[in-house]
Amino acid sequence: MMRIKLVPEETKWDFFSKSKIWLGISMFMIVIAFASFMIQGLNFGIDFRGGTTVRTESTENIDVGQYRAALAELELGDVVISEVFDPSFREDQHVAMIRIEAQDDQEAVQSDVIAAMLAALQTVSPDIKFTSVESVGPKVSGELIKTAALAVVAAIGAVLVYIWLRFEWQFALGAVLALVHDVVLTIGVFSELQIRFDLAIIAALLTIVGYSLNDTVVVFDRVRENLIKYKKLDLKEVLNMSINQTLSRTLMTSVTTLIALIAMFVLGGDVIRGFIFAMIWGIFVGTYSSIFVASALLNVLGVKRDWTKTDGNAGTQFSGIDA
Amino acid sequence: MLQIDTWKRVLIWSVLVIGVILSLPNAFYTRVEQHNDAVTAIERQGETEERLAAAESWPSYVPSGLVNLGLDLRGGAHLLTEVRVGDAYASRMEALWPEVRDALRPLRSEIGTIRLQQGDPAELRVKISQPEGMATALAEVRKLAAPVVSVAAAGETDIVVTGEEDDLVVRLSEAEQRATDDRTLSQTLEIIRRRIDEVGTREPTIQRQGSDRILIQVPGIGSAAELKEIIGTTAQLTFQPVVRRAANAEADAGVGNEVLPSLDEGDGFYVVEKAPVVTGEELVDAQPSFDQNGRPAVNFRFNTSGARKFGDYTAENIGEPFAIVLDNEVISAPVIQAHIAGGSGIITGNFNVEESTKLAVLLRAGALPVGLDFLEERTIGPELGQDSIDAGKVACMVAGVAVLAFMFFSYGLFGFFANIALILNIAMLFGLLSLIGATLTLPGIAGIVLTVGMAVDANVLIFERIREELKTAKGPARAIELGYEKALSAIVDANITTIITAIILFVMGSGPVRGFAITLGFGIITSVFTAIYVTRLFVTMWFERKRPKAIVV
């Protein structure tokens, strides 16, 4: 029978001879991400900056300029209008997103502002309707940003502790640095491409954290097993062997997850596209980092070699559970 | 060797069957939803033929739990309001003033004259003309303190009385403030619930958030603005004696009085006494009606004590005007023609029918104890929700089919086993979500798609391991066994870390993000179960039947 094989049966690729280059590339990317974040900043959605977004729908073609002119009289401050395109839209379905800044220092938008906007836009496009109106007052958005940052830090912290307990601190540090790498690069992409960054993206970031970790842990699990098996082998050799042994699985899982996500990206509609994009990017970065960053860091950090005292069965600690 | 005890097989099969049965209603969503609606309607309002027919369209012995659709999928309004709990302090202080006055009056010889000072509404500041008598005044006012009605603050009193130079200051104690906040919030919650019920939308979510916020989600409502109209009006109705008319808002009202704008006479103002004769709290009923001239009006009826107060007042003040005040605006100020006994009356004003109907609803449901601020509001149109559902469905199917095909072509027969397990996995996930009545949101659908992708991970780990073990040629049965055994540690570690992030998302997130955390978390549980028990059961059963000498994974 025909079989798909992503990698050959047995690989002995050397992932470490150029590990300095890979780490260098990662560092470089992080610097770029950071610079982009500092210079451009993130395109925060209303969840984090307060304000209102209105999604409009009409059967007529959208002229952003006319929309802007119609709304200018209302003196709403900073208004951002963008047309949305999506393959799932019907022929006569024209969608635009309008974002206005917060009108009050605390509360969400007043109903009469929305009514005024609708009336103004109806002069341009009579059958226009608002399919969604979301408004977040500055008071809440400030809290949301705090909670979100806290969530990401808490997730990374919890994971650090878990891996530390299950492995050794070097593993934990390696895994967490790889995670930070993934999160920074993801934020960097959002800043560089100016994709709207809202609450859902935080959920995506945390999923990336979970996913990337998943990969890293599988490799580390094998490393631990091999460290017990090959007591005399050089650490670099053990790491390399472990990555090779788990490579097929790493790629299989990444590909299946990517297949599912790409289906969602193409067909899932524009509302959720940014979210899915973050996850797809995260899978790439996460897979890369678990192979090239986490293990390379482990190699730099070193790890204790004498596992006899702790638990001779460490590689299969759950083998007591039978299924 | 490769074995599974009979009891374990029975258990695994039972879990699978239960999961699939629980998920079944979701396949017939509209029908089951109509059935559920009909059943609640029958319970509340009795049977009608239509309802019975709808109720019988889904058999009662089959579970009818559904995955709730979140606002982003069903359409509806979401409002986060902050309750101005501090306002309640002011009205407490206002109510306390007559008592303080009455307590201090008999002491006039020692403390001199007393005068209420204007200032921070959350405190009562009384100037006494003979500061030497402060100690006596303090002692007397302190007698008014009552214990705080709260378990957490047993033994503390409700007010703090201090002397500041020649001012006697009364404030609520901190324990009482907390207790008041709590009461205000639960009262507000209850009144919001009653108002929304009066309008009759289905399945609203009304929850407390933190110490002073309320989250309201109403599916199916046209817009958050509509919702705000219902819950945003305080609807504080009072009947206050009119002192005189005033030309503008800055008119000097005098202590104990206030200037209120008039609604029926354009830009007129009234000076009225602050202390109301009766308030809307004592209403037992309010209905929209028409006055003798055929203009829309609202009929109301007081409870016994309200009726007595109203009756006494009207008897004593025939010929005087009194003001009907709603939310600090005078609706009308009729002159009392006769003693109104019986406790019912009519409010007339410049209403149209819609307004009088709304006013009646608001008066029936009761006034909000304090004002509300709206911090966050989201309206999702039903069309957008439906578009998202449709897109999500297609995406899930395409994702599912693609993953199934990929798995089959990668692992052959074993891939087929994993695929069956994956389908069962999704069924069980829906079963679990229906069982706990979880809410499915758009990110939640993404969570399911992600689960589809990641659910195969555990199987991939196992299959890759079996491949490796086969190389060392221990025979197929042993290789399978070792594969499952050795992959377990990695599976557990990898999934626990993902569960950790799902839990953090659930705790810290809200709304759609929470929906994502739920599907992700439960997806991990079901996928680990199917990977280490279900596929293993399939493989074992196949192995027992075929007894192959060699296997290809």
Side-chain angles (χ1 to χ4, degrees):
Chain A
M1 202 187 104
M2 187 194 82
R3 287 293 171 89
I4 300 171
K5 285 253 161 69
L6 295 173
V7 288
E9 196 78 10
E10 184 119 28
T11 53
K12 289 219 159 45
W13 293 333
D14 186 359
F15 289 101
F16 282 87
S17 60
K18 296 192 176 66
S19 72
K20 287 213 174 89
I21 298 180
W22 294 119
L23 280 181
I25 291 177
S26 285
M27 289 292 271
F28 180 67
M29 297 277 281
I30 287 177
V31 169
I32 290 190
F34 203 71
S36 165
F37 178 73
M38 294 310 282
I39 297 165
Q40 270 191 304
L42 286 168
N43 175 13
F44 282 121
I46 54 157
D47 289 339
F48 295 133
R49 71 153 83 175
T52 304
T53 50
V54 175
R55 187 185 168 94
T56 70
E57 206 180 301
S58 77
T59 52
E60 292 151 47
N61 281 327
I62 290 169
D63 181 343
V64 174
Q66 280 189 333
Y67 277 28
R68 194 180 306 280
L71 292 177
E73 293 160 23
L74 301 177
E75 290 176 6
L76 298 167
D78 183 24
V79 178
V80 180
I81 304 172
S82 51
E83 186 168 2
V84 180
F85 300 96
D86 193 89
S88 69
F89 288 164
R90 290 178 300 276
E91 190 80 342
D92 61 345
Q93 189 178 10
H94 299 280
V95 176
M97 297 290 286
I98 302 170
R99 191 181 71 203
I100 60 173
E101 63 182 14
Q103 306 287 310
D104 183 293
D105 60 355
Q106 190 170 26
E107 285 203 72
V109 73
Q110 301 296 321
S111 312
D112 49 352
V113 176
I114 298 297
M117 283 174 72
L118 184 60
L121 289 175
Q122 270 167 346
T123 60
V124 179
S125 175
D127 75 332
I128 198 167
K129 57 185 175 187
F130 289 174
T131 47
S132 85
V133 178
E134 301 190 52
S135 181
V136 178
K139 188 167 182 183
V140 175
S141 63
E143 291 167 8
L144 287 177
I145 214 167
K146 253 183 251 160
T147 329
L150 204 61
V152 174
V153 172
I156 293 180
V159 157
L160 182 79
V161 172
Y162 180 78
I163 301 189
W164 184 19
L165 291 177
R166 290 280 291 137
F167 296 86
E168 291 283 312
W169 69 265
Q170 294 93 337
F171 288 86
L173 194 60
V176 162
L177 287 178
L179 281 189
V180 173
H181 165 267
D182 300 343
V183 171
V184 169
L185 286 195
T186 308
I187 293 179
V189 159
F190 271 76
S191 147
E192 192 52 44
L193 301 180
Q194 289 291 301
I195 305 171
R196 189 156 59 122
F197 194 89
D198 53 23
L199 261 190
I201 305 301
I202 296 291
L205 269 184
L206 285 182
T207 317
I208 294 168
V209 167
Y211 183 88
S212 158
L213 205 66
N214 196 325
D215 265 4
T216 310
V217 165
V218 169
V219 175
F220 281 4
D221 194 77
R222 188 57 74 96
V223 170
R224 181 170 57 185
E225 194 185 325
N226 285 333
L227 279 172
I228 297 161
K229 227 194 255 176
Y230 307 97
K231 292 201 172 61
K232 299 284 175 249
L233 210 59
D234 194 29
L235 176 62
K236 198 195 273 183
E237 298 293 316
V238 174
L239 289 171
N240 204 38
M241 181 179 9
S242 309
I243 294 177
N244 274 299
Q245 284 168 345
T246 49
L247 192 62
S248 169
R249 172 267 157 195
T250 305
L251 293 183
M252 272 298 291
T253 300
S254 299
V255 169
T256 46
T257 312
L258 276 178
I259 289 176
L261 285 175
I262 289 172
M264 194 78 191
F265 183 78
V266 177
L267 302 167
D270 68 289
V271 179
I272 202 166
R273 191 151 291 142
F275 178 71
I276 303 286
F277 171 79
M279 293 218 269
I280 291 177
W281 169 261
I283 303 257
F284 277 110
V285 184
T287 308
Y288 162 82
S289 77
S290 60
I291 295 176
F292 293 102
V293 179
S295 303
L297 282 171
L298 198 56
N299 189 32
V300 173
L301 290 168
V303 68
K304 77 163 185 181
R305 297 306 306 268
D306 183 16
W307 289 74
T308 43
K309 270 180 209 156
T310 47
D311 186 0
N313 205 20
T316 51
Q317 275 189 16
F318 286 89
S319 52
I321 307 168
D322 55 350
Chain B
M1 287 304 279
L2 201 56
Q3 271 180 355
I4 299 177
D5 296 339
T6 317
W7 70 269
K8 269 189 196 157
R9 294 180 187 217
V10 173
L11 199 65
I12 295 169
W13 280 116
S14 334
V15 171
L16 282 179
V17 170
I18 292 172
V20 171
I21 290 179
L22 283 175
S23 71
L24 211 58
N26 294 295
F28 305 92
Y29 203 95
T30 330
R31 207 157 106 196
V32 181
E33 193 173 40
Q34 279 165 359
H35 159 84
N36 290 353
D37 285 353
V39 171
T40 23
I42 289 172
E43 249 171 50
R44 278 199 196 165
Q45 298 149 344
E47 296 179 358
T48 63
E49 252 174 59
E50 216 172 280
R51 284 180 191 149
L52 274 180
E56 277 162 14
S57 66
W58 183 253
S60 57
Y61 50 84
V62 183
S64 57
L66 286 172
V67 174
N68 294 318
L69 295 182
L71 284 185
D72 54 349
L73 294 179
R74 162 174 295 182
H78 160 120
L79 268 185
L80 179 66
T81 76
E82 190 165 74
V83 180
R84 292 190 209 135
V85 284
D87 285 5
Y89 307 160
S91 49
R92 275 288 293 277
M93 284 300 128
E94 223 166 87
L96 196 63
W97 164 236
E99 277 185 63
V100 172
R101 188 183 54 196
D102 294 348
L104 292 179
R105 241 178 217 158
L107 303 174
R108 204 168 288 173
S109 56
E110 278 178 75
I111 61 173
T113 54
I114 51 172
R115 260 181 61 203
L116 181 63
Q117 305 289 304
Q118 303 288 353
D120 182 359
E123 61 180 31
L124 205 59
R125 195 171 273 271
V126 183
K127 196 183 239 349
I128 54 180
S129 62
Q130 293 168 20
E132 315 84 71
M134 183 59 88
T136 331
L138 286 178
E140 198 57 34
V141 176
R142 279 186 186 134
K143 282 188 199 151
L144 296 173
V148 175
V149 192
S150 154
V151 190
E156 293 184 54
T157 52
D158 60 348
I159 52 173
V160 179
V161 188
T162 49
E164 289 174 15
E165 291 170 31
D166 47 0
D167 285 351
L168 179 140
V169 183
V170 187
R171 287 191 197 91
L172 289 183
S173 68
E174 263 174 45
E176 179 64 12
Q177 287 187 358
R178 273 197 303 276
T180 310
D181 289 357
D182 194 60
R183 262 198 309 274
T184 312
L185 199 63
S186 21
Q187 265 174 22
T188 311
L189 198 78
E190 184 50 38
I191 285 159
I192 290 178
R193 191 187 307 279
R194 264 190 269 166
R195 287 189 186 177
I196 291 177
D197 282 350
E198 286 268 0
V199 192
T201 51
R202 57 193 303 249
E203 293 169 46
T205 312
I206 303 160
Q207 307 174 312
R208 272 180 86 136
Q209 278 206 335
S211 61
D212 59 354
R213 290 186 185 167
I214 296 175
L215 175 72
I216 305 146
Q217 291 187 318
V218 185
I221 200 165
S223 75
E226 212 173 296
L227 188 58
K228 260 158 86 176
E229 255 174 49
I230 303 168
I231 61 172
T233 323
T234 315
Q236 187 89 54
L237 183 76
T238 51
F239 294 84
Q240 288 163 288
V242 173
V243 180
R244 61 188 154 83
R245 281 169 175 275
N248 55 57
E250 281 82 44
D252 179 29
V255 175
N257 296 336
E258 58 189 340
V259 185
L260 297 178
S262 162
L263 274 184
D264 60 346
E265 295 175 23
D267 48 352
F269 289 87
Y270 285 97
V271 176
V272 298
E273 280 180 32
K274 251 189 191 168
V277 179
V278 215
T279 68
E281 272 168 49
E282 305 198 70
L283 285 181
V284 285
D285 193 22
Q287 294 294 339
S289 66
F290 295 93
D291 66 3
Q292 62 268 41
N293 300 324
R295 290 185 310 169
V298 176
N299 263 328
F300 62 87
R301 203 152 44 84
F302 283 119
N303 62 16
T304 333
S305 81
R308 203 183 52 239
K309 281 189 242 174
F310 193 59
D312 290 352
Y313 182 80
T314 49
E316 285 162 22
N317 293 282
I318 292 175
E320 300 283 328
F322 77 102
I324 301 173
V325 182
L326 184 74
D327 293 338
N328 293 325
E329 286 174 329
V330 179
I331 296 183
S332 59
V335 172
I336 300 167
Q337 306 290 350
H339 168 213
I340 304 174
S344 60
I346 189 164
I347 303 172
T348 54
N350 273 330
F351 304 132
N352 56 32
V353 178
E354 211 174 285
E355 284 165 344
S356 71
T357 312
K358 202 180 102 192
L359 180 59
V361 166
L362 293 177
L363 291 180
R364 267 205 307 280
L368 291 174
V370 291
L372 301 176
D373 287 322
F374 295 97
L375 300 183
E376 188 186 331
E377 56 175 279
R378 296 172 197 264
T379 310
I380 316 291
E383 314 93 342
L384 182 60
Q386 192 57 45
D387 287 354
S388 293
I389 293 180
D390 295 344
K393 262 188 198 160
V394 174
C396 277
M397 275 182 220
V398 171
V401 170
V403 169
L404 293 181
F406 184 69
M407 279 300 277
F408 181 71
F409 286 118
S410 295
Y411 296 109
L413 183 64
F414 279 70
F416 176 71
F417 291 147
N419 286 343
I420 302 290
L422 178 59
I423 294 168
L424 288 170
N425 177 28
I426 300 293
M428 289 210 307
L429 176 56
F430 269 96
L432 209 54
L433 293 175
S434 312
L435 185 67
I436 61 162
T439 303
L440 186 66
T441 58
L442 190 54
I445 294 181
I448 293 177
V449 172
L450 194 67
T451 305
V452 171
M454 291 178 75
V456 297
D457 179 53
N459 284 312
V460 168
L461 273 166
I462 294 165
F463 296 163
E464 293 291 331
R465 197 74 204 212
I466 294 177
R467 273 184 187 170
E468 275 178 57
E469 297 300 327
L470 278 172
K471 279 181 219 159
T472 44
K474 294 177 187 110
R478 184 73 189 139
I480 293 172
E481 201 174 8
L482 277 177
Y484 273 94
E485 216 166 74
K486 290 197 171 166
L488 197 61
S489 153
I491 294 175
V492 170
D493 276 337
N495 285 291
I496 284 184
T497 47
T498 313
I499 283 236
I500 290 177
T501 51
I503 291 173
I504 288 175
L505 268 180
F506 181 79
V507 174
M508 302 203 145
S510 65
V513 174
R514 209 169 236 208
F516 174 73
I518 290 173
T519 51
L520 185 66
F522 283 117
I524 289 165
I525 294 171
T526 55
S527 66
V528 169
F529 172 78
T530 49
I532 62 182
Y533 293 103
V534 181
T535 55
R536 189 170 186 174
L537 182 64
F538 291 165
V539 171
T540 308
M541 282 166 59
W542 166 77
F543 199 83
E544 281 168 351
R545 192 180 281 258
K546 292 275 160 102
R547 295 269 158 212
K549 290 273 180 301
I551 54 170
V552 184
V553 180

